[in-house]
Amino acid sequence: MKIWSTEHVFSYPWDTVIKAAMRKYPNPMNPNVVGVDVLDRSLDEKGRLHSHRLLSTEWGLPGIVRAILGTSHTQTYVKEHSIVDPEEKKMELCSTNITLTNLISVDERLLYRPHPDNPEVTVLTQEAIITVKGVSLSSYLEGMMARRMSANARKDCSSAVTTSLPNYAS
């Protein structure tokens, strides 16, 4: 098991970042997410927006990794649940893979909040637990996946807001 975490500060207010985060895919900086389907979206009695989405992903795995895992299957699906609380100014997003679960599990949590000292900027805390099961070199594969997540997180953070900002100029 590998635990990974990072933090990113956006130079934009919380509401701008949340609008962009809800629309970050498709994203030219991270083409691994090839489809997003909204399964359910509703408001609860406290005015919080709950969204359940299904993400279709395509990961080009190196040949050695496919050989270790014993699969050439690189298309995976991820279920995602998010809660946007406009009163608390908090968005929490949790996701987990629903394919290849006999080999790999990735449980990810993102939390967006205004910076405690400056409400004009937003802090994203991102963490994941990565577990590769039943194969040799699992620790190596978990580390490789954590490095890939880290690289993609930097891409997503740098592009999610900026590529979406023209859509939010209001």
Side-chain angles (χ1 to χ4, degrees), residues 63-166:
I64 183 115
V65 174
R66 289 194 305 271
I68 292 170
L69 293 176
T71 184
S72 59
H73 188 82
T74 59
Q75 184 170 12
T76 59
Y77 296 94
V78 174
K79 68 176 179 175
E80 175 189 275
H81 176 240
S82 63
I83 302 172
V84 178
D85 187 334
E87 188 70 31
E88 298 266 332
K89 290 205 174 214
K90 174 177 130 179
M91 176 180 165
E92 182 173 11
L93 186 148
C94 296
S95 64
T96 189
N97 61 301
I98 57 174
T99 50
L100 299 176
T101 55
N102 60 321
L103 299 173
I104 301 167
S105 67
V106 179
D107 296 302
E108 186 176 24
R109 178 177 179 261
L110 287 76
L111 182 62
Y112 296 85
R113 296 198 87 137
H115 191 283
D117 298 327
N118 181 355
E120 291 304 306
V121 300
T122 303
V123 178
L124 163 62
T125 304
Q126 186 175 5
E127 55 195 28
I129 298 172
I130 305 162
T131 307
V132 175
K133 307 168 194 170
V135 297
S136 58
L137 300 173
S138 62
S139 185
Y140 165 77
L141 292 173
E142 291 165 352
M144 184 190 76
M145 291 179 69
R147 286 187 298 278
R148 181 174 262 185
M149 285 185 78
S150 184
N152 285 337
R154 283 192 299 275
K155 288 180 198 175
D156 287 349
C157 287
S158 66
S159 67
V161 174
T162 54
T163 58
S164 299
L165 276 177

